[in-house]
Amino acid sequence: MSTPVDQATPAICPTRGDHSAPTPDTLAYSLTLPSALTSPAIARAATRTVLTAHGLAVLVAPAAQLVAELAATACQFSATAEIYLSLRFREGTLRVIVYDSHPRHTHPRLTAACDARRRAALRLLACVARACEGDWGFGEAREPGGGTRMWATVPYAGGVSYAAGVDPCVTAF
């Protein structure tokens, strides 16, 4: 038996009406993508849109490259049909994290061989992260599903230098 609805009292639905413009500090996005050849391009396009909307268009060049490299590697290694991408901007640094379902090996030689393959796949990412004075790496995912977590960071100043074509490794004489 249903309870009669009082027609005089309208139903009130809670709303969250945050109409403020996106800022760098509110950049926090997560995407689940198919482990497919098209996902790196989709991730790159989403990154470009998100960074521009949050006033971080100057970071698009390095971030799009990092996201594409991480997504491509995750698709290559993933044992399932999906990968997971996270974009965050905290304390002046863009953090890009990608998870794939490839479990870490228990045998030391298999671990070393697999890590070498992953490092080789991320060679360009390493160069971009280094040029931006950022960091990168990979390791066991701490999530319940396991797998591998790969990340790269781009400090704002390093990303600006990268976008301007300034090589931080070259010193002026």
Side-chain angles (χ1 to χ4, degrees), residues 34-93:
S35 180
L37 293 176
T38 56
S39 288
I42 292 167
R44 199 172 42 243
T47 298
R48 188 177 300 111
T49 300
V50 165
L51 290 176
T52 301
H54 284 267
L56 293 168
V58 70
L59 298 182
V60 166
Q65 188 67 54
L66 296 175
V67 164
E69 296 296 318
L70 288 169
T73 302
C75 289
Q76 177 185 353
F77 280 85
S78 189
T80 61
E82 295 177 338
I83 63 169
Y84 175 79
L85 166 68
S86 171
L87 297 169
R88 303 281 186 270
F89 189 81
R90 299 291 180 266
E91 300 172 6
T93 299

